[in-house]
Amino acid sequence: MSGDARVRGEMFFYRGEYRRAIEAFSLVVAQGVADAAVFTNRGAAHAALGEVALAIADYDRAAEIAPQDTTISNTRGLAHATDGGYTAALDDYERAIELAPQDPVAYHNRGVALNAQGHEEEALADFDRALERDPQYAEAYYARGNLYASRGDHAQALADFCLLYTSP
């Protein structure tokens, strides 16, 4: 039964039927299944509906079950940042970097959070770190290009945007 509800939850989620996905994942949780993916997916459905506090609660539960999962740290960080909780978001990104220092995603995410707080130099350094780890990471070129543009450094911004659109 819990497997069926989980599959239905995933199907509803990918179809954009987030409320129905939450209901299906909640059936799995009600059966006492301690599966980090179920909590992460239910959290993502809550986040898609703008229910950030509920999303964070599910990500917290997922992190208790799978504390070494960097995806959970990154996703929870994004939820915190969405709600303006940059300090908590930075804590999550730090944890993700600690667990997987070669993964560019947490560096990019941390750079975005730092930039939102006005720490431009630190943000640029993180975008650079993300690109050192993955020179094809389009989101990092985009974020760095936007930061350069906001500073009036249009040549650097254009260089990043050109790389963004010419990367395979």
Side-chain angles (χ1 to χ4, degrees):
M1 170 83 170
S2 69
D4 291 343
R6 179 183 176 154
V7 170
R8 281 195 317 278
E10 291 169 356
M11 178 194 67
F12 290 136
F13 183 86
Y14 291 113
R15 289 184 5 198
E17 297 179 45
Y18 302 118
R19 187 64 56 209
R20 292 180 77 186
I22 290 166
E23 291 169 3
F25 291 132
S26 294
L27 287 174
V28 178
V29 170
Q31 294 171 0
V33 176
D35 184 336
V38 169
F39 285 99
T40 301
N41 291 339
R42 188 173 72 173
H46 280 300
L49 293 172
E51 299 168 346
V52 177
L54 292 171
I56 290 170
D58 276 341
Y59 297 143
D60 286 345
R61 182 68 181 110
E64 290 172 10
I65 297 166
Q68 303 299 311
D69 189 328
T70 60
T71 300
I72 296 167
S73 295
N74 272 308
T75 306
R76 184 173 57 188
L78 292 171
H80 282 299
T82 298
D83 210 25
Y86 294 112
T87 301
L90 289 170
D91 289 343
D92 281 327
Y93 302 144
E94 291 291 335
R95 174 74 176 145
I97 290 167
E98 177 184 308
L99 292 170
Q102 293 306 312
D103 184 359
V105 174
Y107 290 101
H108 166 264
N109 291 345
R110 186 173 69 178
V112 170
L114 288 166
N115 189 38
Q117 292 184 303
H119 303 289
E120 293 179 356
E121 292 304 319
E122 292 167 313
L124 283 173
D126 270 348
F127 298 144
D128 290 345
R129 288 181 190 103
L131 291 166
E132 287 167 7
R133 285 152 178 81
D134 182 359
Q136 309 287 316
Y137 193 38
E139 289 89 346
Y141 283 114
Y142 181 76
R144 190 174 71 178
N146 278 327
L147 178 51
Y148 282 135
S150 73
R151 297 170 81 171
D153 190 345
H154 300 293
Q156 281 294 106
L158 183 59
D160 274 352
F161 292 142
C162 285
L163 287 169
L164 171 67
Y165 291 110
T166 59
S167 293

